[in-house]
Amino acid sequence: MWKVRDDEPGYAFLKESTAPEVNYYEAPIDLIARTGGALPAGREMFINEEPGVGANPNRNKQHAFHFTADNCIGCHACEAACSEKNDNPAHISFRSVGYVEGGTYPDFKRMNISMACNHCDDPVCLKGCPTRAYTKHVEYGAVLQDPETCFGCGYCTWVCPYNAPQLDPIKGQVSKCNMCVDRLEVNLKPACVSACLGNALNFGVVDDLPENREQGKTSIPGFPDPEITHPNIRFQQIKNMPDEVTRTDGMSVKYHKGDDGQYRPVVDQKKGVERKWSFAKLSSRENPLVIFTLVSQTSLGAFLIAFLGAQFGIDSLVALRESVVYVPLMAVTVGLAGLGMLMSATHLGKPWRFYRGFNNLRHSPVCREGLGMLLYMVFAGLHLLAMLPANAVFIELLGEWGRFDMFATVSGYLALIAGAVGLYYMYRCYRIPARPFWNHWQTATSFFGTALTLGSVLVGLIGVPTFILLGGNVTQIFSLALACVVIGCGLEAFGLWRHAVAMDAANNEGSVSHYIQCTVFGKSYVLRNIVLLANASVALLLLTLAPSVLTLAAASLVCLGAAVTAIIGRALFYVLVIPTTMPGAFFWKNKDFEEHARDIGLANMPQVGVVAHGH
């Protein structure tokens, strides 16, 4: 149990609750009732691995922070108290204070916002985490996370709208606010609340207003849409803010008040309107995922075309299956799938714990993606083995099932089913409300279009030279590969067009991402689009021509263009996304300051709070 000091001030203790039976979202505040009595009251939480049950009378009620924006003076005492209690290094902060400001002299106003984990009713971090490192407790409603279970994929940091989970690039694991449940057990408020100088932060049973408070709003300017997670935080903001407020960090977002009085994000052109190449900025921490998605989709597309085309009786693909290069082609697809899984693991903070990525199949799309791709690789590998010549071992072990028309066919279809599941959940991983730029069906057209384009390129690069050397029907496989390129590029181009239109009209962080795409990365973006359209146009033209030295050379340029388009497009996909995070300060939680610190060497000083990514 937490040791209560003899001279503990009265303001540090929780007050007796007078909360209603249900919260703002019409959910029971009594968490035992919320589970239908499935979980018992009076459980030990084993805080710091110690048994014991505290005497807090409201132990099984949902608790929440209350923030009075008018009182916050931006002193950062809450940050310091939180970091001191949790022994956090300088680059990790469970609670942070950000700012929004607006108006003109002499009527210029600033509002400070102190934010940590909101211990939501619908914690998307818990559902997204593949390792089940998160637990929503019936004790206080705390959403607790175990850093030792975490393997550092960072997916919870993507799905959380409030930047609450913190990925430590040194330890390779995530940690977050734990609601100071050890203090709650002895009826004390969290450390950040007790340290607040301006009486801006308070804490208690949700929707039970603190003393001298009259508002329990669910949103203030700069706060993401509460419908995403139903967060357990309430606000008071009496002082009016201007109709438009800006952030003091480098994010190109400002907030505009609508007719309903709610502030919504819009583009703030901090980066200017000049188009740049910014090739160096295309490289990011997500580079392993760029490789993972591209090579996995190439593998899936090639397997789909080669195997399913032969099953449907397309002459050139039947001939390809019966040729000596079918086994090498399948070996390449399996190898690419294996490379993708390896890249996915190297993206983890703790790659050696990759096996924990299947712990949350019930909820996490990351788990389902990983399992689908793993099974695809296994079944594609079995199909490859079944296609080996003189397959006496399989025939002896499996009888008739060891022949191509039995075992190889079944394993091929199983690989297709598993691959389709993996590709679908690869897409579902990015349908994240907290990242509007990704949360659009264009992500599906991008992934499926890339699979078709790059898969057909791989089949063409292996099939066309083979038929030239062996005297097969070059025209059909040449035309088939080109047709798939046209369809894949067309699918991706249509999605990009509709995505750009949607982001322009969205008035959210996705609009900001599109603005960055058209300015900071404007020339790279235009280059990708021109090459994409050129690929489709040239491939469509070549479909009308017979294979020759000239057309084969032009097709080679299409292959190169497809690779360039895919790499630039996928790199843009990861570096452009703007999350619905809380406003940052001048320095801390400010991506522009982090970039500046790394550029000039400040990141070499750990006390600055900026560290180089460890992987």
Side-chain angles (χ1 to χ4, degrees), residues 17 23 55 78 87 104 181 194 208 376 420-421 450 496 522 546:
S17 174
N23 66 10
C78 53
D87 196 24
T104 55
V181 289
S194 298
D208 182 15
Y376 160 72
V421 171
T450 299
L496 288 170

Side-chain angles (χ1 to χ4, degrees), residues 152 167-169 172 284-285 288 346-350 612-615:
L167 177 60
D168 189 335
S284 71
R285 178 188 174 271
T346 60
H347 178 260
L348 303 175
K350 299 176 180 177
H613 292 305
H615 63 290

Side-chain angles (χ1 to χ4, degrees), residues 60-139:
N60 293 116
K61 293 182 179 180
Q62 177 66 60
H63 283 58
F65 290 101
H66 187 283
F67 178 68
T68 305
D70 304 321
N71 288 12
C72 181
I73 61 175
C75 65
H76 299 265
C78 53
E79 285 186 19
C82 174
S83 292
E84 186 275 333
K85 179 183 181 296
N86 292 288
D87 196 24
N88 286 335
H91 60 277
I92 296 294
S93 179
F94 295 164
R95 177 170 288 279
S96 60
V97 177
Y99 316 95
V100 292
E101 58 189 17
T104 55
Y105 178 83
D107 188 22
F108 184 82
K109 296 178 180 178
R110 169 180 287 178
M111 186 179 71
N112 307 316
I113 305 175
S114 177
M115 188 58 54
C117 177
N118 295 315
H119 303 276
C120 308
D121 279 0
D122 185 19
V124 290
C125 54
L126 183 152
K127 292 182 178 180
C129 176
T131 66
R132 288 202 299 181
Y134 288 82
T135 306
K136 173 77 172 176
H137 287 261
V138 293
E139 292 78 21

Side-chain angles (χ1 to χ4, degrees), residues 21-41:
E21 291 186 0
V22 296
N23 66 10
Y24 174 86
Y25 305 106
E26 301 297 327
I29 289 177
D30 187 318
L31 297 169
I32 300 296
R34 196 180 293 186
T35 68
L39 296 176

Side-chain angles (χ1 to χ4, degrees), residues 432-602:
I432 301 172
R435 300 198 168 207
F437 187 71
W438 288 346
N439 192 29
H440 189 274
W441 55 262
Q442 178 269 335
T443 301
T445 63
S446 175
F447 285 7
F448 285 86
T450 299
L452 201 55
T453 300
L454 296 184
S456 60
V457 165
L458 178 59
V459 171
L461 286 174
I462 292 178
V464 170
T466 299
F467 282 18
I468 291 174
L469 292 174
L470 299 180
N473 186 355
V474 178
T475 301
Q476 189 181 47
I477 194 168
F478 183 68
S479 299
L480 179 66
L482 288 172
C484 289
V485 168
V486 171
I487 296 171
C489 290
L491 187 64
E492 189 167 358
F494 178 76
L496 288 170
W497 168 50
R498 298 312 305 165
H499 183 250
V501 171
M503 293 300 102
D504 273 339
N507 283 337
N508 59 24
E509 287 81 2
S511 304
V512 180
S513 294
H514 186 59
Y515 156 71
I516 298 294
Q517 180 171 242
C518 295
T519 55
V520 177
F521 297 95
K523 293 182 179 180
S524 300
Y525 173 56
V526 170
L527 174 65
R528 187 275 307 271
N529 293 344
I530 290 175
V531 175
L532 179 64
L533 293 175
N535 288 342
S537 301
V538 173
L540 190 61
L541 175 63
L542 292 177
L543 276 172
T544 64
L545 304 174
S548 64
V549 174
L550 186 60
T551 56
L552 289 175
S556 300
L557 292 178
V558 170
C559 294
L560 179 61
V564 170
T565 301
I567 293 171
I568 295 177
R570 196 54 49 83
L572 284 171
F573 178 81
Y574 284 105
V575 301
L576 285 172
V577 65
I578 303 291
T580 60
T581 186
M582 295 301 301
F586 291 112
F587 300 107
W588 319 121
K589 306 289 183 175
N590 185 339
K591 295 300 181 184
D592 282 14
F593 171 71
E594 289 185 10
E595 184 177 326
H596 174 68
R598 292 190 177 101
D599 288 342
I600 67 174
L602 273 176

